[in-house]
Amino acid sequence: MIVELILKEQPKLEFEGYKKTGFASGAVFSNPIEKRVEIVVKNHPDGRVSVFTDKSEVIESIVQTTQVIDIHAK
């Protein structure tokens, strides 16, 4: 299940073992071994940030380092 975490502000997101590809409106983090995108970060115009993933270790890392204001399951 994909989870969307909505964050109050832009955190410093660097995930070990993932390759980051940045865009004007966000970034994707891919697993270079499996060649799969596993994390998507979308910047909203109002300063909020959405992080989409199904990786529990990523979710735990985000919860420990920044404020999550909402969560949705996709």
Side-chain angles (χ1 to χ4, degrees):
M1 173 184 312
I2 301 293
V3 175
E4 176 187 13
L5 300 172
I6 301 175
L7 313 178
K8 186 173 183 173
E9 57 192 15
Q10 179 69 45
K12 291 190 179 192
L13 295 174
E14 294 298 327
F15 300 106
E16 189 175 325
Y18 292 95
K19 178 184 173 198
K20 180 180 180 180
T21 304
F23 300 96
S25 61
V28 295
F29 292 83
S30 57
N31 180 325
I33 295 170
E34 295 180 18
K35 299 186 183 195
R36 294 178 44 113
V37 171
E38 296 185 353
I39 307 161
V40 176
V41 178
K42 181 181 184 328
N43 300 324
H44 297 274
D46 64 1
R48 293 178 305 142
V49 178
S50 290
V51 179
F52 300 86
T53 189
D54 66 348
K55 301 291 182 188
S56 61
E57 66 271 13
V58 171
I59 294 169
E60 290 174 15
S61 172
I62 290 170
V63 168
Q64 293 174 0
T65 59
T66 190
Q67 181 181 2
V68 177
I69 59 174
D70 203 358
I71 185 169
H72 300 127
K74 305 262 180 184

